[in-house]
Amino acid sequence: MLTRKGKYGLKALVHLSGMPVGQLAFVNDIAVANNIPKKFLDAILGELRNAGFVQSRKGKEGGYRLARPAADIKIGHVIRVLDGPLAPIPCASRTRYQRCDDCDEATCQVRHMMIDVRQAIAEVLDNRSLAAMRDAANDELLADVKHSS
């Protein structure tokens, strides 16, 4: 399950991806616009900076911006950085595999099902860019405006 940290990190990145290229956003503005506690967002943005997703500048004219184009940032990578493996159980993980003590991996039907689940999740998240996520949200907003007009 996606944690609040993962959700807030994605919301912050979508926010930054909607900014003009090179323009900085203040943490407080991102927090208010996305209903994220500022102190928590500070920590999340620090992790995203350390992972190379965002750049920051300190001071009165400071803030955050994407470190690379939104089209080059894959959602699966962001989630792995903030929340860890995509697999629902450790024995189905590719990046942090851990053997279970209570079953035979070769015959465990739960493990085999969870490997399929992990594959399906990875298929979506590893093939979706931040730009596609942002644009899908914009497409939905435009559809709502057209329907209510």
Side-chain angles (χ1 to χ4, degrees), residues 59-99:
K60 198 173 84 168
E61 301 295 316
Y64 285 88
R65 67 176 170 221
L66 293 181
R68 54 186 194 259
D72 295 346
I73 297 173
K74 298 297 183 192
I75 301 305
H77 188 193
V78 174
I79 292 173
R80 285 183 188 93
V81 164
L82 294 175
D83 281 352
L86 300 177
I89 57 176
C91 67
S93 177
R94 280 197 177 160
T95 58
R96 294 208 189 134
Y97 167 84
Q98 287 182 336
R99 183 174 173 75

XYZ file of all heavy atoms in Angstrom, residues 59-99:
314
model
N 17.484 30.209 0.886
C 17.392 31.658 0.966
C 16.056 32.213 0.527
O 15.127 31.475 0.190
N 15.991 33.542 0.536
C 14.742 34.244 0.234
C 14.228 33.927 -1.168
O 13.040 33.839 -1.415
C 14.967 35.757 0.389
C 13.686 36.554 0.538
C 13.961 38.002 0.856
C 14.221 38.749 -0.431
N 14.226 40.191 -0.292
N 15.129 33.769 -2.098
C 14.768 33.449 -3.485
C 14.844 31.945 -3.743
O 14.894 31.508 -4.882
C 15.709 34.180 -4.454
C 15.685 35.690 -4.313
C 14.338 36.277 -4.692
O 13.762 35.858 -5.714
O 13.852 37.137 -3.942
N 14.865 31.166 -2.671
C 15.046 29.721 -2.784
C 13.758 28.966 -3.039
O 12.691 29.539 -3.204
N 13.906 27.650 -3.041
C 12.761 26.775 -3.260
C 13.206 25.493 -3.932
O 14.383 25.142 -3.921
N 12.238 24.799 -4.519
C 12.490 23.517 -5.183
C 12.026 23.544 -6.627
O 11.085 24.258 -6.977
C 11.739 22.389 -4.452
C 12.382 21.988 -3.159
C 12.062 22.643 -1.974
C 13.310 20.956 -3.107
C 12.657 22.278 -0.776
C 13.900 20.588 -1.918
C 13.573 21.251 -0.756
O 14.162 20.879 0.426
N 12.691 22.737 -7.440
C 12.279 22.503 -8.828
C 12.730 21.096 -9.195
O 13.567 20.489 -8.519
C 12.882 23.537 -9.758
C 14.382 23.429 -9.889
C 14.915 24.418 -10.908
N 16.361 24.447 -10.834
C 17.086 25.540 -10.902
N 16.504 26.708 -11.058
N 18.385 25.481 -10.831
N 12.163 20.587 -10.277
C 12.574 19.265 -10.751
C 14.032 19.315 -11.200
O 14.481 20.302 -11.783
C 11.696 18.807 -11.916
C 10.229 18.526 -11.605
C 9.517 18.066 -12.872
C 10.068 17.501 -10.499
N 14.754 18.237 -10.945
C 16.161 18.156 -11.335
C 16.312 17.701 -12.789
O 17.355 17.895 -13.399
C 16.906 17.188 -10.422
N 15.260 17.100 -13.321
C 15.277 16.663 -14.728
C 13.850 16.712 -15.259
O 12.907 16.851 -14.484
C 15.902 15.285 -14.872
C 15.310 14.185 -14.021
C 16.168 12.923 -14.195
N 15.516 11.764 -13.689
C 15.778 11.206 -12.516
N 16.684 11.726 -11.724
N 15.135 10.128 -12.133
N 13.685 16.587 -16.568
C 12.338 16.686 -17.139
C 11.371 15.655 -16.552
O 11.753 14.510 -16.265
C 12.568 16.425 -18.634
C 14.000 16.774 -18.875
C 14.719 16.416 -17.604
N 10.127 16.076 -16.375
C 9.085 15.200 -15.813
C 8.929 13.928 -16.639
O 8.585 12.869 -16.096
C 7.767 15.958 -15.713
N 9.165 14.003 -17.925
C 9.042 12.827 -18.795
C 10.115 11.776 -18.490
O 9.948 10.597 -18.821
C 9.129 13.248 -20.260
N 11.205 12.182 -17.827
C 12.298 11.264 -17.507
C 12.186 10.655 -16.109
O 13.026 9.850 -15.713
C 13.644 11.986 -17.618
C 13.949 12.436 -19.035
O 13.271 11.976 -19.980
O 14.862 13.266 -19.205
N 11.181 11.051 -15.343
C 11.009 10.545 -13.984
C 9.892 9.500 -13.989
O 8.750 9.805 -14.322
C 10.665 11.696 -13.011
C 11.830 12.692 -12.959
C 10.343 11.155 -11.621
C 11.532 13.951 -12.154
N 10.244 8.273 -13.661
C 9.263 7.170 -13.634
C 8.671 7.045 -12.229
O 9.384 7.093 -11.221
C 9.911 5.844 -14.036
C 10.459 5.845 -15.458
C 9.361 6.036 -16.477
C 9.919 5.971 -17.883
N 8.985 6.416 -18.876
N 7.374 6.867 -12.170
C 6.640 6.805 -10.908
C 7.120 5.628 -10.043
O 7.267 5.758 -8.830
C 5.118 6.721 -11.162
C 4.636 7.936 -11.957
C 4.352 6.586 -9.846
C 4.965 9.281 -11.358
N 7.405 4.491 -10.664
C 7.900 3.339 -9.912
C 9.185 3.648 -9.168
O 9.364 3.222 -8.021
N 10.077 4.393 -9.785
C 11.345 4.755 -9.155
C 11.098 5.645 -7.937
O 11.699 5.450 -6.877
C 12.247 5.444 -10.183
C 13.639 5.687 -9.704
N 14.506 6.516 -10.360
C 14.317 5.252 -8.616
C 15.657 6.560 -9.700
N 15.557 5.795 -8.642
N 10.195 6.616 -8.092
C 9.878 7.517 -6.978
C 9.317 6.716 -5.798
O 9.743 6.897 -4.651
C 8.857 8.603 -7.409
C 8.414 9.437 -6.208
C 9.433 9.484 -8.510
N 8.372 5.829 -6.072
C 7.750 5.053 -4.998
C 8.771 4.160 -4.309
O 8.778 4.045 -3.075
C 6.546 4.251 -5.527
C 5.426 5.230 -5.910
C 6.056 3.241 -4.480
C 4.247 4.600 -6.601
N 9.662 3.537 -5.075
C 10.689 2.696 -4.451
C 11.595 3.520 -3.537
O 11.992 3.054 -2.471
C 11.515 1.988 -5.516
C 10.796 0.833 -6.172
C 11.710 0.124 -7.174
N 10.989 -0.857 -7.946
C 10.416 -0.611 -9.134
N 10.482 0.593 -9.676
N 9.791 -1.566 -9.776
N 11.938 4.733 -3.958
C 12.790 5.602 -3.131
C 12.079 5.973 -1.833
O 12.667 5.917 -0.750
C 13.201 6.876 -3.917
C 13.740 7.952 -2.990
C 14.223 6.529 -4.984
N 10.815 6.352 -1.913
C 10.099 6.833 -0.735
C 9.501 5.722 0.120
O 9.477 5.830 1.348
C 8.990 7.813 -1.153
C 9.467 9.121 -1.777
C 8.279 9.940 -2.246
C 10.331 9.913 -0.803
N 9.000 4.657 -0.503
C 8.266 3.623 0.228
C 8.913 2.242 0.217
O 8.438 1.337 0.889
C 6.854 3.473 -0.351
C 5.904 4.548 0.134
O 6.276 5.323 1.032
O 4.779 4.613 -0.378
N 9.947 2.050 -0.574
C 10.567 0.735 -0.639
C 9.978 -0.104 -1.759
O 9.380 0.419 -2.699
N 10.123 -1.428 -1.670
C 9.720 -2.327 -2.749
C 8.237 -2.235 -3.109
O 7.407 -1.907 -2.267
C 10.020 -3.721 -2.193
C 10.926 -3.516 -1.047
C 10.668 -2.143 -0.519
N 7.935 -2.550 -4.362
C 6.551 -2.560 -4.829
C 5.815 -3.834 -4.427
O 4.590 -3.841 -4.353
C 6.514 -2.433 -6.360
C 7.132 -1.175 -6.965
C 7.077 -1.244 -8.489
C 6.441 0.070 -6.449
N 6.551 -4.889 -4.171
C 5.937 -6.186 -3.856
C 5.136 -6.132 -2.559
O 5.578 -5.531 -1.582
C 7.019 -7.263 -3.745
N 3.972 -6.795 -2.549
C 3.154 -6.794 -1.342
C 3.707 -7.657 -0.207
O 3.355 -7.461 0.944
C 1.793 -7.317 -1.804
C 2.002 -7.882 -3.156
C 3.293 -7.386 -3.697
N 4.583 -8.628 -0.537
C 5.224 -9.450 0.496
C 6.709 -9.600 0.141
O 7.080 -9.586 -1.036
C 4.546 -10.839 0.657
C 4.529 -11.615 -0.645
C 3.143 -10.687 1.226
C 3.957 -13.033 -0.531
N 7.578 -9.745 1.154
C 9.026 -9.765 0.909
C 9.520 -10.857 -0.040
O 10.443 -10.626 -0.816
C 9.621 -9.958 2.312
C 8.575 -9.444 3.244
C 7.256 -9.759 2.582
N 8.892 -12.027 -0.047
C 9.382 -13.122 -0.903
C 9.027 -12.906 -2.377
O 9.496 -13.640 -3.245
C 8.884 -14.480 -0.417
S 7.106 -14.702 -0.571
N 8.238 -11.871 -2.676
C 7.901 -11.559 -4.067
C 8.678 -10.336 -4.569
O 8.529 -9.931 -5.710
C 6.399 -11.306 -4.202
N 9.527 -9.771 -3.719
C 10.269 -8.564 -4.074
C 11.485 -8.877 -4.929
O 12.179 -9.867 -4.703
C 10.723 -7.841 -2.802
O 11.497 -6.714 -3.134
N 11.734 -8.013 -5.900
C 12.958 -8.142 -6.709
C 14.105 -7.379 -6.073
O 15.253 -7.783 -6.175
C 12.723 -7.581 -8.107
C 12.006 -8.518 -9.004
C 12.187 -8.087 -10.433
N 11.542 -9.043 -11.302
C 11.205 -8.773 -12.533
N 11.444 -7.584 -13.045
N 10.622 -9.689 -13.266
N 13.801 -6.256 -5.441
C 14.861 -5.394 -4.913
C 15.220 -5.696 -3.463
O 16.335 -5.430 -3.042
C 14.457 -3.909 -5.031
O 13.228 -3.704 -4.329
C 14.291 -3.491 -6.477
N 14.272 -6.223 -2.688
C 14.543 -6.526 -1.274
C 13.966 -7.893 -0.889
O 13.313 -8.045 0.133
C 13.942 -5.441 -0.377
C 14.620 -4.109 -0.578
C 14.560 -3.259 0.658
N 15.021 -1.927 0.352
C 14.417 -0.819 0.718
N 13.306 -0.878 1.425
N 14.909 0.353 0.415
N 14.278 -8.869 -1.710
C 13.789 -10.233 -1.490
C 14.183 -10.740 -0.104
O 15.316 -10.542 0.334
C 14.383 -11.151 -2.562
C 14.198 -12.608 -2.262
C 13.019 -13.249 -2.601
C 15.193 -13.334 -1.623
C 12.835 -14.594 -2.316
C 15.020 -14.678 -1.328
C 13.839 -15.295 -1.680
O 13.652 -16.618 -1.394
N 13.220 -11.364 0.566
C 13.486 -12.071 1.822
C 12.700 -13.371 1.798
O 11.501 -13.370 1.538
C 13.044 -11.244 3.036
C 13.936 -10.073 3.324
C 13.472 -9.315 4.565
O 12.305 -9.365 4.940
N 14.387 -8.616 5.191
N 13.390 -14.453 2.076
C 12.760 -15.771 2.091
C 11.807 -15.887 3.278
O 12.080 -15.388 4.355
C 13.847 -16.834 2.184
C 13.353 -18.238 2.141
C 14.557 -19.211 2.097
N 14.106 -20.569 2.222
C 13.512 -21.261 1.251
N 13.321 -20.699 0.092
N 13.129 -22.507 1.449
